[in-house]
Amino acid sequence: MAKSIVSTKRLGSQLIHWLLEEDRREKKGPYRKEEVHRQHSWWQVMCLTGVDYFSTLGYQPGIAALAAGALSPIATLILVLLTLFGALPIYRRIAAESPHGEGSIAMLERLLPWWQGKLLVLCLLGFVATDFIITITLSAADATAHIIENPLTPNWLHNQTIAVTLILVALLGAVFLRGFREAIGIAVVLVGAYLLLNFIVVSVGVYQILTHTEAIANWQTALFARHSNPLMLIGISLLIFPKLALGLSGFETGVTVMPLVKGSSNNNTSHHPKGRIRNTRKLLTTAAVIMSFFLLTTSFITTLLIPTAEFASGGKANGRALAYLAHLYLGNAFGTIYDLSTISILWFAGASAMAGLLNIVPRYLPRYGMAPNWARVTRPLVLVYTAIAFVVTIIFKASVEAQGGAYATGVLVLITSAAFAVTLSAHRHQQKRARLVFGIITLLFVYTTIVNIIERPEGIRIAGFFIGAIIFTSLVSRVWRSTELRAERIEVDELAAQFFAEDSQGTIRLIANRLNTGDVLEYFMKEKEVREDNHIPVNDPILFLEIHVSDASEFADAIVVKGVQVGDYRILRAESAAVPNAIAALLLYIRDQTGKIPHAYFGWVEGNPIQYLLRFILFGEGDIAVVTREVLRRAEKNPEMRPGIHVGG
C-alpha cells in the first residue's frame, strides 16, 4: 500500500515536471526572447496565412446561402468591396507601422498608454481568444462534416458529429503537447492543392450554369420574388452582409507573420525594413484578391446550383457546399480527394489558431504581470485551450452554422480595432486625409460589428466570458506577483557609479526622498529629519534616492540610475513602474557591486493601509517602506544578506 502511494506521488511529480518543463529557448527578462525566424518568400508566407484565410471557403458559401438566401452573391459582393477597399488598406498601413509582427493590438498599446491601454488590450485579447478558439472548434466541426458526409464513410459515423469533432480537437492538442512548429512547406502544399481543387469546382460550376440557363432564371425569380426594386435589394444586402463576415478572417494573421517575410538584403534588419513591408503588402493584396475571387464565384455557383433545403441543418450541403458540388458533378473519387484536401487545410487552420493562442499569453500578459509563471510554458496552456475547445464544441453541438456568429464577432472586433488604431495613428501624425478615409472605414466596420452582434449575440457572450476570465485572472496575478523585483536590468551612469565607489569604504546609506523643489534646502531638511529619527552619525555619508513613476501600468522594465549633484548633496534618480520594487532591486544591485550591505531609510506614512495598497497596485507607490522590505524578503531568503530597511519619524 505504501509503495502504491509513493508510486502515485512519483508519477504525479513526473507529470507536473513534464507539464511545467520550460521550452529549451533562451529567455530575456520576464518573458520569452523572440525567436529568430527563418525567412521565406512572401508567396510562401501567404500560404501560411492562407490555411486560416482560404480554409473559410470550406464553410463560408454555405453560411452565406443560409444567411442571405438568393441575395448571397450580392451580399458577398459588398463583403468583397469592404475587403478590398476597407480591410486591405488598413492592414497595408499596419504592415508599415508594425514591421516586426506586433500587429494592431500592439499599435493600440503604444498609442494608448497607462491603464486604459492595458485594459483595452486585455479586452481585445478576449476577442482574440474567441477568434482563435472558435477557429479551432469551427474548423474541426467543418472537417467532421466533410468526413461523415463522404459516401465512403460508414453509416454508423453519421450520428457521431460531436464525438468526431472532439477527437479532432484532442488530436490537435496531442500534437502540440508533443511539440509542434508551423511548417511553411506543408502550408504551401496544402494551400496550393486546395486552391487548385476549388478552382476546378468553380470552373465546373460556372460551366453547369452556362449550359443550364434555367439556373439563372430560377435565381432571378427567387431574387425578385419579394422586392422588384434593385435599390431595395442592395439595401437589404447591406443589412445582411455582416452575417458573411467570416470571409474577412485572416488579415491579422497576415501581419503577425511579418518576421517570416524575406525583404531585400540591404534593409531587412533595419528599424523600418522597406523590403519586408513591400513584400508583406504584396502578400496581403494577393491573398485579398484571390479570396475575393473565390468568395464571389463560390457564392454564385452554390446559390444557383444547390437546392435551398440542402443548406439547412441535416442537409448534404450544410457546412460543405463546395464539397457537395464536387461530388455531384465530378464524381465521388474527385469529391473524396476534395474532402481530404479540405479536412487537411481545416485541421492545419486549427493548428495555426492554436499556435497563435500559445503566442498571445507570453507576448502580453507576463509583461503586464498579469499571468502566473506557468503561463509561459506551452503544455499547461495547450491543456487549458483544449479543454475550452471541448466545452465550446459541446455547447454548440459541433454545428458550423451555430458557431459562425461567435467567429464573425471575434474577426470583426479585431478588424474594427485595427481600423481604429490606424485612424488614431493618422490623427497623431496630423494626416487629415488619411484620418478622414480611415475614420469612414472604421465607422463601416463598427456598423458591421454592431449588426452582427445584434443578429447573433452568442459571439459577444463568448467573448465576454473570455474577457471576464482574462481580466479576473490578470488582476489576481498582478496582485500576487506585485512583490517581485520587476526589474529587467539596472544601468547606472558614471556619476552614480562614482557615488557607490565613494561610499563602499564604509556603510552605504540611502535616504528615500520624494522630489519636490529639488533645491539645497529640501535636501538639508530631509537629511536633518532622517539623521535625528534614525540616529545616523553626522560624519557618515548619505545618498538620496528618488524614484519617479513612469508608467505604473507596466510591470517590468529596465531601471536607469543617474547621479545628480545639488550643492554638496548627492542624489540617485531613476524611473520605474513601481517605487518599492525599484528601490529593492537597486539595493540588491549595490550590494552585489560593492560587497557591502546597504541601508535604506524611510519615513512613516499615515492613513488607511487599504488605500495605500490600492495606490501601490494601481500607481506604483503606497506604503513604500513596508512593500520594499517584503520585496527584499522574497528576493533574498538569507536575512544576513538582505539590505536593511529603517523607518523613523
Side-chain angles (χ1 to χ4, degrees):
M1 181 69 179
K3 289 183 178 179
S4 176
I5 294 174
V6 172
S7 178
T8 302
K9 288 183 177 179
R10 184 179 302 168
L11 183 62
S13 177
Q14 291 175 349
L15 177 62
I16 293 174
H17 177 75
W18 179 74
L19 285 174
L20 298 180
E21 184 182 8
E22 292 288 347
D23 294 344
R24 298 181 182 276
R25 301 178 186 174
E26 291 184 6
K27 290 184 173 65
K28 184 178 181 181
Y31 54 97
R32 292 179 189 269
K33 182 180 180 180
E34 288 197 12
E35 213 176 335
V36 177
H37 300 281
R38 181 185 173 190
Q39 295 181 329
H40 305 266
S41 299
W42 65 268
W43 61 270
Q44 292 177 307
V45 182
M46 183 190 73
C47 292
L48 183 62
T49 66
V51 296
D52 178 17
Y53 195 23
F54 300 140
S55 66
T56 57
L57 292 172
Y59 43 83
Q60 170 74 7
I63 290 178
L66 274 175
L71 288 171
S72 176
I74 299 175
T76 301
L77 176 60
I78 296 173
L79 179 68
V80 165
L81 293 175
L82 188 60
T83 298
L84 296 177
F85 300 102
L88 180 57
I90 286 170
Y91 282 96
R92 283 174 62 90
R93 171 135 183 172
I94 290 175
E97 298 204 17
S98 60
H100 303 289
E102 303 94 333
S104 60
I105 295 179
M107 281 182 62
L108 286 171
E109 182 188 25
R110 291 193 302 268
L111 293 168
L112 298 172
W114 290 82
W115 284 109
Q116 63 266 34
K118 302 297 186 297
L119 290 175
L120 178 60
V121 168
L122 291 178
C123 291
L124 291 177
L125 289 180
F127 287 104
V128 170
T130 303
D131 186 357
F132 285 162
I133 288 291
I134 300 297
T135 296
I136 294 171
T137 58
L138 182 62
S139 297
D142 196 47
T144 299
H146 285 79
I147 292 172
I148 65 176
E149 291 296 335
N150 187 282
L152 303 180
T153 301
N155 290 330
W156 60 270
L157 272 179
H158 287 192
N159 296 322
Q160 304 297 324
T161 303
I162 297 178
V164 174
T165 304
L166 291 177
I167 290 173
L168 291 176
V169 173
L171 177 63
L172 182 67
V175 170
F176 274 88
L177 285 175
R178 288 186 58 86
F180 179 83
R181 296 291 180 269
E182 288 181 325
I184 285 186
I186 298 175
V188 170
V189 173
L190 289 178
V191 170
Y194 186 66
L195 292 181
L196 176 61
L197 293 172
N198 274 289
F199 184 77
I200 294 173
V201 173
V202 167
S203 299
V204 171
V206 172
Y207 173 79
Q208 291 295 325
I209 291 172
L210 293 177
T211 54
H212 299 81
T213 54
E214 65 273 12
I216 298 178
N218 293 336
W219 176 59
Q220 289 177 332
T221 301
L223 195 62
F224 294 105
R226 293 186 178 181
H227 303 283
S228 58
N229 188 337
L231 293 178
M232 183 64 70
L233 294 177
I234 294 174
I236 296 174
S237 299
L238 285 170
L239 295 174
I240 293 175
F241 93 90
K243 297 180 180 180
L244 281 59
L246 294 180
L248 289 166
S249 67
F251 274 104
E252 189 76 20
T253 308
V255 175
T256 57
V257 298
M258 280 190 72
L260 300 177
V261 178
K262 184 187 297 182
S264 54
S265 58
N266 60 344
N267 64 11
N268 199 39
T269 58
S270 65
H271 179 68
H272 190 71
K274 295 181 181 179
R276 181 192 295 174
I277 293 171
R278 182 172 60 252
N279 287 339
T280 301
R281 286 175 167 176
K282 289 180 184 177
L283 180 158
L284 294 169
T285 303
T286 305
V289 170
I290 292 173
M291 189 62 173
S292 296
F293 166 78
F294 279 109
L295 284 174
L296 280 174
T297 54
T298 56
S299 173
F300 187 69
I301 64 172
T302 53
T303 302
L304 270 65
L305 296 176
I306 300 178
T308 304
E310 297 293 352
F311 290 113
S313 179
K316 294 181 179 180
N318 181 254
R320 57 186 298 275
L322 294 176
Y324 174 90
L325 294 179
H327 283 276
L328 179 64
Y329 293 115
L330 294 166
N332 289 334
F334 179 89
T336 299
I337 295 173
Y338 183 88
D339 283 337
L340 291 174
S341 175
T342 305
I343 293 167
S344 299
I345 197 170
L346 285 169
W347 185 90
F348 210 79
S352 177
M354 180 67 83
L357 281 170
L358 294 174
N359 285 327
I360 287 174
V361 171
R363 176 174 289 188
Y364 289 101
L365 297 187
R367 185 155 49 86
Y368 298 167
M370 293 180 173
N373 288 328
W374 61 260
R376 301 173 185 170
V377 188
T378 295
R379 287 166 182 161
L381 287 179
V382 170
L383 292 178
V384 171
Y385 295 144
T386 303
I388 294 173
F390 270 36
V391 173
V392 171
T393 297
I394 294 171
I395 290 175
F396 286 103
K397 300 179 181 178
S399 169
V400 175
E401 164 63 16
Q403 296 177 76
Y407 189 18
T409 298
V411 170
L412 285 172
V413 170
L414 289 180
I415 295 180
T416 302
S417 67
F420 175 69
V422 169
T423 305
L424 189 59
S425 175
H427 175 71
R428 292 285 177 89
H429 289 89
Q430 297 182 346
Q431 299 170 334
K432 295 182 179 180
R433 183 177 178 182
R435 180 180 60 192
L436 176 62
V437 172
F438 289 124
I440 293 173
I441 295 174
T442 302
L443 291 177
L444 288 174
F445 278 113
V446 168
Y447 158 77
T448 306
T449 304
I450 291 175
V451 171
N452 180 78
I453 291 173
I454 293 174
E455 291 287 336
R456 293 181 286 187
E458 66 274 10
I460 198 66
R461 294 194 191 107
I462 293 179
F465 167 78
F466 282 120
I467 291 170
I470 288 174
I471 290 179
F472 176 76
T473 55
S474 295
L475 293 178
V476 171
S477 175
R478 180 83 178 208
V479 173
W480 185 262
R481 298 183 60 196
S482 61
T483 52
E484 294 179 8
L485 281 179
R486 297 167 58 174
E488 293 181 0
R489 65 186 184 278
I490 294 179
E491 301 174 0
V492 299
D493 68 3
E494 186 176 347
L495 186 55
Q498 180 183 327
F499 293 161
F500 298 153
E502 291 172 353
D503 288 8
S504 62
Q505 303 303 318
T507 303
I508 302 176
R509 305 181 191 275
L510 294 91
I511 297 176
N513 181 55
R514 182 190 293 272
L515 179 63
N516 292 310
T517 59
D519 57 12
V520 173
L521 179 60
E522 176 183 344
Y523 297 111
F524 171 79
M525 296 302 296
K526 185 69 175 181
E527 178 188 12
K528 183 176 182 296
E529 175 188 347
V530 172
R531 284 189 185 274
E532 290 176 355
D533 291 341
N534 296 276
H535 308 290
I536 300 175
V538 177
N539 295 327
D540 281 11
I542 60 169
L543 289 169
F544 286 94
L545 177 58
E546 298 171 346
I547 307 294
H548 172 70
V549 177
S550 52
D551 184 350
S553 65
E554 291 291 339
F555 186 75
D557 53 7
I559 301 175
V560 179
V561 183
K562 297 180 179 180
V564 179
Q565 188 94 30
V566 178
D568 294 331
Y569 298 101
R570 301 169 303 162
I571 302 103
L572 302 173
R573 288 178 180 168
E575 289 189 356
S576 178
V579 175
N581 310 71
I583 293 176
L586 183 57
L587 291 173
L588 292 174
Y589 173 84
I590 294 172
R591 180 202 65 182
D592 296 339
Q593 293 297 312
T594 64
K596 294 291 187 71
I597 303 295
H599 294 258
Y601 297 87
F602 303 85
W604 286 107
V605 297
E606 297 179 357
N608 191 323
I610 303 300
Q611 180 181 353
Y612 282 112
L613 174 63
L614 293 176
R615 282 181 59 83
F616 167 62
I617 294 172
L618 296 176
F619 305 112
E621 298 178 321
D623 194 348
I624 296 174
V626 173
V627 180
T628 301
R629 186 186 183 282
E630 179 61 19
V631 174
L632 287 171
R633 189 187 66 82
R634 291 190 59 183
E636 177 53 71
K637 302 302 181 183
N638 185 356
E640 295 182 359
M641 296 297 295
R642 196 179 296 155
I645 300 298
H646 306 269
V647 183

